[in-house]
Amino acid sequence: MTDFSFLRLNTDFATAKFDEMQESEYFYNGGVCLHPLEKYLQTTNSPTDIAFDDSYKVELINCKEEVIKDITSSVFITEFQDNNGIYQISFEIAPLNEDFYYEGLYLKFTHLDSPLRIYSNRFIVTAEEERNSFRLDYKSYSVYKGTNYILADYYQSIRLLGYFNGISEKKDSKLYTEINGKIRKSRIIQSFEHDYNIEYVNTFVYERLCVALENDLVYLNGVFIEVLDDVSAGERIGKSNLFEANFKVQFDNTQTYEDTYQIAPLLSINELLPFGSYTLASIPITGKATFNNNIIYVGGKLKLYDYSTDALLNEISISITDNYFEFTMPILANGEYYFLFDNLIQDELLQTISITDKEQWKFNIGLADFLGTDFNNTDFFTN
C-alpha cells in the first residue's frame, strides 16, 4: 500500500523525512510550497490506523522536532474507515497567515489521549514563490491509487514549486480518400498546449504529481485540465536526489474551480435577538447575534431600519465576545423593524457573513393582547 498524499503522514519522524533515491550524496526534500493565504486538503492512505477522535494538537516543527508554531486552530480533521478496515483521515489546513520563508517545516499531529504521534514530509510556507509555483485541486469519482473518494468526497489540494514555461500550438487533422481516389485532408483541429517545468524535484514529489494529474477531475491554478501529456523526468542532477520534470496540458477555460472550505465549519448564525414579537415592556435592552465560530470585528456598524418604509433609523456599535456580538438597543416606539449588516465581522478562518435581506432579522413591538382562555364565565366584577 502506497500513500500518495503530498503531505504523507507517518508515525516515525525519521521515515517521514526519508527520500527513496539511493546512492545520493546530497539530499533535498523540496517541492511542496504552501502559500500562507491559501487553504489545503489532503487525504491519507496509511497502512496503519490514524484516529484522533477530535482530540488532537497540530504543530509546525523543524527538522530537529522543535516546535515553530501551534496551528491546531487552523487544522480540521474528518475520520473514516477504508475498505481494508484501516482508519484514515482527511485534514484541511486553513490559511496560516504567516510567512516562514524557506525554513523546512513538518506537520506534527499529537493525539491528546494516547502516545500516537504522526509526522508529515517536509514543505515550506511562503508567498515568495507564488510566481514560481502552481496549485493543483484534484479528485476522482471512486477509489484511485488507494485514495477512497467515495468515503472522503473532497478535492485534495496542494501547491508545488514549478512554473509555466510557454505555449505551443497543436494541430490535428486526418487524411481521407474520395471515391475518385483523390486524397484530401479534413479541417484542422487546433488546440494549445501549456508547458510546465519543475527544475528540481525528488522522487517523492514526482510520483505524487504523476498520480494527482491522472485523477478524474484536475484543476491547475483553478482551470480544468482537459488533456494531459505524460510527466517526463529529466536526468539526475549530479549526485543529488533531484532531477528535472516537465508536463504539458490543454485547458478547458470554461470550467474553473474556486477553493472553498470542505471540512472546516462554515460560519453560520445560531441566534438573533431581538427576533419576533415584543411589547414595550418585554423588548430586551441588549441585542445579540450568536455564531457557530469565534468572530472578530472587521469594521462598520450594525444598521437598524423601519420595516414599512426601509428608512435607516440608527447605526449601532457592537461589542464582540468569543462567538457573539452584543449592542445596546435604542429606545423604540411600537412598530416593525429590521437589522442589516455587511462586512461587519468575520471568523478566525477569514470567513464573512452578512444579513442583507430584511426578512432575516426582523422584529415588531406592539400592544399587549389577551387570549380568550385568560377569562371564563366564573369571572365576575364585584364592588
Side-chain angles (χ1 to χ4, degrees):
M1 177 188 292
T2 301
D3 188 336
F4 286 107
S5 305
F6 282 100
L7 297 175
R8 181 193 61 187
L9 303 184
N10 200 290
T11 54
D12 179 67
F13 192 30
T15 303
K17 294 187 288 184
F18 177 71
D19 185 275
E20 294 179 355
M21 182 169 279
Q22 303 298 315
E23 300 178 359
S24 296
E25 295 181 8
Y26 308 102
F27 287 87
Y28 301 93
N29 293 313
V32 179
C33 174
L34 307 186
H35 194 291
L37 300 181
E38 290 182 341
K39 59 186 80 69
Y40 301 95
L41 188 148
Q42 292 281 280
T43 297
T44 67
N45 181 34
S46 171
T48 58
D49 287 329
I50 301 178
F52 296 109
D53 300 320
D54 292 327
S55 179
Y56 60 89
K57 176 172 65 175
V58 186
E59 298 163 310
L60 288 178
I61 61 172
N62 61 19
C63 62
K64 298 179 181 179
E65 206 172 337
E66 298 168 336
V67 176
I68 304 301
K69 185 177 182 179
D70 188 319
I71 60 169
T72 306
S73 62
S74 299
V75 179
F76 303 87
I77 293 175
T78 182
E79 301 180 1
F80 63 96
Q81 193 173 23
D82 67 18
N83 295 340
N84 297 314
I86 299 174
Y87 285 95
Q88 308 287 353
I89 66 170
S90 294
F91 60 96
E92 187 170 43
I93 305 173
L96 298 177
N97 299 309
E98 184 174 349
D99 199 314
F100 296 90
Y101 300 97
Y102 296 97
E103 182 175 11
L105 300 172
Y106 304 80
L107 295 173
K108 179 182 179 181
F109 291 76
T110 300
H111 188 206
L112 300 180
D113 301 322
S114 78
L116 179 64
R117 305 290 183 269
I118 304 290
Y119 303 88
S120 78
N121 49 287
R122 179 187 181 275
F123 57 92
I124 59 175
V125 179
T126 183
E128 296 290 311
E129 294 289 352
E130 182 174 4
R131 293 184 177 181
N132 296 312
S133 62
F134 58 88
R135 179 187 172 97
L136 293 176
D137 295 272
Y138 56 96
K139 69 180 292 187
S140 284
Y141 295 116
S142 56
V143 180
Y144 180 66
K145 294 293 185 180
T147 301
N148 196 320
Y149 288 99
I150 299 174
L151 300 176
D153 187 20
Y154 305 113
Y155 275 97
Q156 296 197 77
S157 50
I158 202 69
R159 180 171 286 274
L160 302 176
L161 292 173
Y163 58 91
F164 171 63
N165 197 36
I167 188 171
S168 60
E169 181 187 31
K170 186 174 183 179
K171 296 179 180 180
D172 186 21
S173 64
K174 294 182 179 180
L175 298 178
Y176 63 93
T177 305
E178 296 181 340
I179 296 176
N180 60 9
K182 190 173 183 179
I183 299 176
R184 289 190 177 276
K185 184 169 66 173
S186 64
R187 183 182 294 274
I188 293 175
I189 300 175
Q190 185 186 49
S191 58
F192 296 95
E193 289 186 323
H194 296 253
D195 181 48
Y196 282 83
N197 191 65
I198 303 174
E199 290 185 342
Y200 306 106
V201 65
N202 57 22
T203 54
F204 181 91
V205 175
Y206 177 79
E207 290 175 346
R208 281 148 185 80
L209 173 62
C210 294
V211 171
L213 290 172
E214 288 294 342
N215 273 260
D216 294 330
L217 301 170
V218 185
Y219 295 84
L220 194 157
N221 291 335
V223 183
F224 183 69
I225 294 177
E226 189 172 42
V227 180
L228 166 72
D229 282 350
D230 291 338
V231 183
S232 62
E235 293 185 2
R236 183 177 179 179
I237 302 173
K239 289 290 186 178
S240 74
N241 62 331
L242 301 178
F243 51 94
E244 188 178 7
N246 175 274
F247 63 93
K248 294 181 178 181
V249 297
Q250 295 177 35
F251 290 114
D252 179 356
N253 292 295
T254 66
Q255 297 187 54
T256 59
Y257 176 78
E258 184 175 349
D259 185 35
T260 59
Y261 284 111
Q262 301 175 83
I263 298 176
L266 297 178
L267 181 60
S268 62
I269 299 170
N270 289 342
E271 183 183 24
L272 298 172
L273 186 72
F275 189 88
S277 299
Y278 301 87
T279 65
L280 288 174
S282 67
I283 188 75
I285 60 173
T286 301
K288 185 177 182 180
T290 306
F291 305 86
N292 64 321
N293 297 342
N294 287 349
I295 57 173
I296 56 178
Y297 178 69
V298 175
K301 293 185 178 182
L302 181 67
K303 297 180 180 181
L304 176 67
Y305 294 84
D306 183 281
Y307 187 88
S308 59
T309 65
D310 294 324
L312 176 62
L313 302 178
N314 211 327
E315 295 188 355
I316 304 169
S317 297
I318 64 169
S319 174
I320 291 178
T321 303
D322 296 331
N323 68 327
Y324 66 89
F325 68 73
E326 292 181 315
F327 55 92
T328 301
M329 283 287 294
I331 298 175
L332 299 171
N334 289 344
E336 289 185 286
Y337 307 92
Y338 65 92
F339 289 109
L340 299 180
F341 63 84
D342 187 22
N343 199 35
L344 181 68
I345 57 100
Q346 65 183 25
D347 68 2
E348 294 171 326
L349 302 180
L350 306 183
Q351 298 179 107
T352 61
I353 193 168
S354 301
I355 291 183
T356 56
D357 182 349
K358 64 190 291 184
E359 301 297 326
Q360 287 183 266
W361 192 354
K362 63 181 180 179
F363 65 98
N364 67 77
I365 305 173
L367 297 173
D369 59 3
F370 298 94
L371 298 174
T373 54
D374 290 339
F375 302 92
N376 59 57
N377 57 12
T378 61
D379 292 329
F380 299 95
F381 288 107
T382 58
N383 293 328

